[in-house]
Amino acid sequence: MKFLIMILIFSFVPSIGQADAEAGKEKAQFCMICHKPNFSTAPIPLLAGQKREYLYKQIKDFKEKRRPSSFMQMNVANLSDQDMHDIADYFSSLEVIRETFSLDSVKINQGESKAKELKCASCHMADFSGDKEVPSLVAIDPIYIMNQLVAFQTGNRLHPLINSSTQISESDTEDLGQYFAQLE
């Protein structure tokens, strides 16, 4: 009898928000102003195809001011938890967008060596496609990668393994950026 009562109670309780990619598509239109291919004013990442858990965590980190960017903090300030889930679900449902970058094969090879040295694949997976809260590094703008590596080293952005004591030179950041940009 208790089981039947529980079923009846839960059948009338509205479901707790499931992510809705279709709703996220509408909510993400503002995001698409900047997070679109060939947006030339700054190296802003494309979000298509990233892991939903990663996207949700980043939106939440901006909202809760754990990730610095007054611009992003302002843009996500009024998003509800459901909005953040919907937007993350929408972007994760999209195919990865490949942009064309001017790349150098020598830098790509050096970047591959540095990625192995830093053991990037231990978290980002062997193919660098990411997993849950760990982002994909595939086809990312090399300048964005370079900027993020500098932010990790300076403490402006947190990374579990990269900090001021990590040996990454300016040329290493460029090599890594080139390597990740060419991945498919």
Side-chain angles (χ1 to χ4, degrees):
M1 184 67 172
K2 284 183 180 178
F3 181 70
L4 183 58
I5 293 171
M6 293 296 283
I7 289 174
L8 287 172
I9 290 171
F10 284 113
S11 66
F12 292 105
V13 174
S15 66
I16 297 180
Q18 298 253 333
D20 180 349
E22 208 44 48
K25 180 178 182 178
E26 186 176 317
K27 295 172 184 178
Q29 292 310 300
F30 186 72
C31 308
M32 292 301 289
I33 293 170
C34 299
H35 292 279
K36 63 182 178 183
N38 303 316
F39 186 70
S40 61
T41 62
I44 296 173
L46 298 177
L47 304 178
Q50 275 293 356
K51 305 297 180 214
R52 71 178 42 90
E53 297 91 341
Y54 171 73
L55 292 169
Y56 171 78
K57 182 178 183 322
Q58 297 311 303
I59 297 167
K60 189 172 180 151
D61 283 353
F62 281 122
K63 182 178 173 109
E64 295 175 358
K65 298 181 179 175
R66 287 190 301 261
R67 185 163 173 198
S69 170
S70 57
F71 183 77
M72 281 300 299
Q73 290 168 358
M74 177 182 65
N75 289 331
V76 302
N78 294 321
L79 293 178
S80 69
D81 198 61
Q82 185 66 50
D83 294 336
M84 293 187 289
H85 278 289
D86 292 346
I87 291 168
D89 201 56
Y90 168 66
F91 279 114
S92 72
S93 73
L94 301 175
E95 292 290 321
V96 173
I97 298 171
R98 299 264 335 147
E99 288 194 86
T100 304
F101 306 109
S102 178
L103 302 174
D104 176 326
S105 61
V106 172
K107 291 184 178 302
I108 291 169
N109 290 334
Q110 291 169 333
E112 181 177 19
S113 295
K114 191 64 178 181
K116 286 177 184 173
E117 178 188 324
L118 293 171
K119 298 179 175 64
C120 299
S122 64
C123 296
H124 293 275
M125 310 305 288
D127 62 356
F128 299 100
S129 63
D131 184 41
K132 296 183 180 165
E133 289 185 1
V134 178
S136 169
L137 300 177
V138 174
I140 302 291
D141 184 313
I143 296 172
Y144 180 76
I145 291 288
M146 292 170 61
N147 290 341
Q148 297 315 298
L149 288 167
V150 169
F152 296 144
Q153 286 189 288
T154 59
N156 289 328
R157 184 169 177 203
L158 298 178
H159 187 285
L161 302 174
I162 298 176
N163 56 45
S164 60
S165 66
T166 308
Q167 296 299 311
I168 304 175
S169 69
E170 187 175 328
S171 65
D172 289 338
T173 64
E174 187 175 350
D175 297 344
L176 286 162
Q178 297 243 342
Y179 174 64
F180 295 130
Q182 59 83 40
L183 294 174
E184 294 187 26

